[in-house]
Amino acid sequence: MTAFSFACTGVRADGYAAGPTLVFRLRVTAGDNARVHALALRCQIRIEPARRGYEPAEADGLADLFGERSRWGSTLQPVQFAQVSVMVPSFTGEIETDLVVPCTYDMDIAATRYLSALTDGEVPLLMLFSGTAFTGTGGFQVEPVPWDREAAFRMPVTAWREMVEQHFPGCGWIRLPRDTMDALLAYRSRHALPSWEATVAALLEGADPPAHDPLRALTATTGRTDP
């Protein structure tokens, strides 16, 4: 079997993608300068939070994921970031290729909450590889990429923040249930508010909604009092 090894040499935000996307630069090496006709590669990327330190503000932002810092010895477990596939073209010995990773800014996703809590430094990533290689010099062979192939990479936090700012400049993102969205839309329409920002601001400032406002039921279920 061909001995494959992998290394990540860099990462950048894709400024032309329709949605948030990171592009990792991947170096693939085939042992003994082997001829590879094609490589169908699968890559699982996970965050290894125990491999870096955290400032107090970052620790506060991670409390909902890992609990209090005193418990981190047992709770600071790997977090799934992405699972993607890439078809590596023909090469002999070594090649570099792009690994395109679509991302999300959904704060219900553990990886997004983790990354959003970081203020600086690097994100410790581990890339786990598998797949199928089509090799051979005088013929054609099909062989698996061993499951133990992996590569560590420390992604700058600035790469993540640049990607987010390209698509959500100065903004956050939150997912709400459909009935909550319908209630907010009804509130916005009834009060002729020009934007979602103005709608939320009115609620935060304590605007008193009418008695029949559906938001009363929503606040009641959360145990909050009406403004």
Side-chain angles (χ1 to χ4, degrees):
M1 286 179 52
T2 304
F4 287 100
S5 62
F6 302 89
C8 184
T9 61
V11 62
R12 60 180 173 84
D14 188 345
Y16 300 99
T21 303
L22 290 172
V23 181
F24 293 86
R25 192 63 177 171
L26 191 65
R27 180 187 298 138
V28 184
T29 303
D32 298 326
N33 207 38
R35 171 68 172 168
V36 179
H37 301 292
L39 181 60
L41 195 63
R42 294 185 297 273
C43 179
Q44 178 187 149
I45 307 176
R46 70 186 189 192
I47 300 168
E48 302 221 309
R51 292 172 46 206
R52 62 158 283 167
Y54 300 91
E55 298 295 330
E58 294 175 327
D60 291 342
L62 295 171
D64 66 326
L65 283 179
F66 306 121
E68 298 298 323
R69 192 189 283 267
S70 59
R71 299 177 52 213
W72 283 10
S74 59
T75 63
L76 219 59
Q77 300 299 317
V79 176
Q80 178 77 3
F81 179 56
Q83 188 161 336
V84 294
S85 300
V86 61
M87 182 62 73
V88 181
S90 174
F91 68 96
T92 300
E94 186 174 279
I95 191 175
E96 287 199 1
T97 189
D98 285 340
L99 183 67
V100 179
V101 179
C103 300
T104 178
Y105 197 35
D106 186 344
M107 295 301 291
D108 285 341
I109 305 299
T112 304
R113 296 208 307 275
Y114 173 86
L115 291 163
S116 298
L118 303 184
T119 58
D120 203 358
E122 297 173 327
V123 183
L125 300 178
L126 184 64
M127 298 179 167
L128 308 171
F129 298 96
S130 61
T132 304
F134 303 90
T135 64
T137 52
F140 191 81
Q141 299 177 174
V142 179
E143 55 185 278
V145 175
W147 284 88
D148 62 350
R149 303 296 90 178
E150 61 184 42
F153 179 66
R154 302 188 72 86
M155 178 179 73
V157 173
T158 52
W160 168 266
R161 293 196 173 277
E162 178 186 348
M163 178 199 71
V164 170
E165 284 300 310
Q166 286 176 354
H167 295 274
F168 306 101
C171 299
W173 190 96
I174 188 170
R175 183 174 63 182
L176 296 173
R178 174 56 61 185
D179 57 348
T180 305
M181 284 297 301
D182 290 343
L184 285 171
L185 181 59
Y187 182 92
R188 175 180 173 177
S189 298
R190 189 163 51 253
H191 293 276
L193 296 168
S195 66
W196 288 115
E197 181 181 0
T199 303
V200 175
L203 291 169
L204 291 176
E205 290 170 3
D208 189 14
H212 64 278
D213 196 311
L215 284 174
R216 284 187 179 274
L218 295 175
T219 56
T221 60
T222 60
R224 297 177 182 173
T225 57
D226 288 333

